[in-house]
Amino acid sequence: MKSLVCILLLLESFVFAVQQKVDGGLGENEISQQLSSEDRRQSPPQTDTVRDETSTDCQQNCHLCFPDIHAALRELTAIVTEQKANIRALEMQLKEELNKKYDEISNLTLSQVEQFRKENTDRQIAFSAALMQSGSGHTGPFTTDITLTYRNVFTNIGNAYNSFTGIFTAPLKGAYMFRVSVYAAGSPSTASAISIIKNGEHVVMAYGHQAGYVVNSSNGVVLLLEVGDVVYVGLGSGRWIYDSQNNHSTFSGYLLFPL
Ligand SMILES: *[C@@H]1O[C@H](CO)[C@@H](O)[C@H](O)[C@H]1NC(C)=O
Ligand SMILES: *[C@@H]1O[C@H](CO)[C@@H](O)[C@H](O)[C@H]1NC(C)=O
Ligand SMILES: *[C@@H]1O[C@H](CO)[C@@H](O)[C@H](O)[C@H]1NC(C)=O
């Protein structure tokens, strides 16, 4: 009888279990609820306290927290990218400006070199000439002063001396050196006298006079000339000067330095 009751009880619980299975058992929510309540039961109560504290910390110090670090990194990356673009733009701008400056400097250097070359060329002024280009003989005496035209040109750098008029014209302001020499036959009645003349005014004279044979004389002067000032050699009235293929009588001038 006892064993019969036991078997019946067993059978009943078996049927109950089978019925539950057939009804679909527990829902998923019920399972997770069951699980989480089991969890809670298993976790010691302090863990919850710590978790709560941590979450409060998170809200107060966002940068220390894991998700906030990601956000901060994203922000940093954006800033770095922006700065990179800024630097690139600055580099381009700098490069452009450097190129422009380089152009300006090389232009300046070029124009300076050109100007220097031009100035240097302008400064090359020197001439030297003897009185007669061919033949030999005296020039003078005349009844008035005349301008001598030195025709046998040795040098005329800068073309400031005109061998047809005998006139030197200053192309730039500066200090100029001039020199003349006179040679003539001695004669009781005729002296040799030539003068360096600046803009119509006598400056220095070379003079010689003797009864026989020949006379030589020379003189020189440094003159401060303005642009366009003229310098030439005058033969005084009643005087004479001799020249031949030996080039005795000469007129020379050159720029010492511009002012
Ligand atoms: C430099 O000179 C060149 C040629 O004369 C000119 O085209 C250019 O504009 C100049 N550059 C500057 C920066 O002055
Ligand atoms: C003048 O110079 C010539 C050479 O050019 C020379 O023969 C002559 O003796 C000189 N005369 C005088 C007076 O110095
Ligand atoms: C005088 O000048 C001419 C032309 O330059 C030259 O041929 C001649 O040799 C010169 N005479 C002397 C004596 O130097």
Side-chain angles (χ1 to χ4, degrees):
M1 186 71 193
K2 243 185 182 178
S3 59
L4 192 75
V5 170
C6 274
I7 287 165
L8 268 173
L9 272 173
L10 265 173
L11 201 73
E12 199 183 71
S13 57
F14 176 69
V15 168
F16 178 76
V18 167
Q19 213 169 17
Q20 273 203 331
K21 256 202 176 153
V22 168
D23 284 348
L26 291 169
E28 278 181 22
N29 284 344
E30 285 167 311
I31 294 168
S32 68
Q33 268 172 6
Q34 228 169 35
L35 278 174
S36 87
S37 62
E38 270 167 22
D39 258 8
R40 231 169 262 151
R41 252 175 278 121
Q42 278 162 4
S43 312
Q46 310 102 286
T47 316
D48 272 3
T49 324
V50 169
R51 222 184 254 171
D52 282 352
E53 271 171 15
T54 312
S55 99
T56 324
D57 260 11
C58 273
Q59 276 150 10
Q60 280 169 357
N61 306 306
C62 283
H63 58 280
L64 289 175
C65 305
F66 209 61
D68 294 325
I69 283 174
H70 277 299
L73 274 176
R74 266 196 302 279
E75 205 172 311
L76 271 176
T77 309
I79 290 170
V80 166
T81 310
E82 195 189 325
Q83 292 308 319
K84 261 188 190 167
N86 283 351
I87 287 169
R88 211 168 297 141
L90 274 175
E91 273 178 354
M92 294 291 282
Q93 202 180 329
L94 203 64
K95 222 179 256 179
E96 226 166 79
E97 275 176 27
L98 270 178
N99 278 344
K100 213 173 120 194
K101 282 271 172 267
Y102 178 80
D103 263 14
E104 276 174 9
I105 288 169
S106 42
N107 275 11
L108 199 67
T109 314
L110 268 178
S111 67
Q112 274 175 340
V113 165
E114 253 160 54
Q115 195 179 334
F116 180 76
R117 201 177 288 158
K118 192 182 172 306
E119 273 175 11
N120 236 27
T121 311
D122 286 350
R123 289 175 189 196
Q124 292 169 354
I125 300 156
F127 79 95
S128 200
L131 196 59
M132 293 185 82
Q133 205 167 22
S134 60
S136 63
H138 279 94
T139 300
F142 301 108
T143 52
T144 55
D145 294 358
I146 63 145
T147 298
L148 291 171
T149 51
Y150 292 81
R151 293 282 167 79
N152 185 11
V153 177
F154 302 113
T155 48
N156 192 12
I157 299 159
N159 275 312
Y161 173 70
N162 185 327
S163 64
F164 295 100
T165 60
I167 294 171
F168 173 88
T169 307
L172 58 96
K173 184 181 179 178
Y176 292 83
M177 173 79 203
F178 293 97
R179 223 191 134 258
V180 286
S181 67
V182 60
Y183 173 94
S187 155
S189 59
T190 309
S192 299
I194 55 169
S195 297
I196 292 176
I197 300 169
K198 173 190 166 185
N199 297 334
E201 284 181 28
H202 289 239
V203 185
V204 295
M205 178 181 273
Y207 180 89
H209 190 197
Q210 63 185 26
Y213 203 48
V214 292
V215 289
N216 307 290
S217 187
S218 71
N219 209 337
V221 67
V222 171
L223 292 176
L224 169 57
L225 301 183
E226 300 289 337
V227 174
D229 279 351
V230 292
V231 176
Y232 49 93
V233 180
L235 177 72
S237 67
R239 317 297 190 199
W240 70 2
I241 185 171
Y242 178 89
D243 201 25
S244 70
Q245 291 311 291
N246 286 330
N247 314 316
H248 295 288
S249 296
T250 58
F251 175 37
S252 302
Y254 48 89
L255 173 69
L256 287 170
F257 46 85
L259 289 166

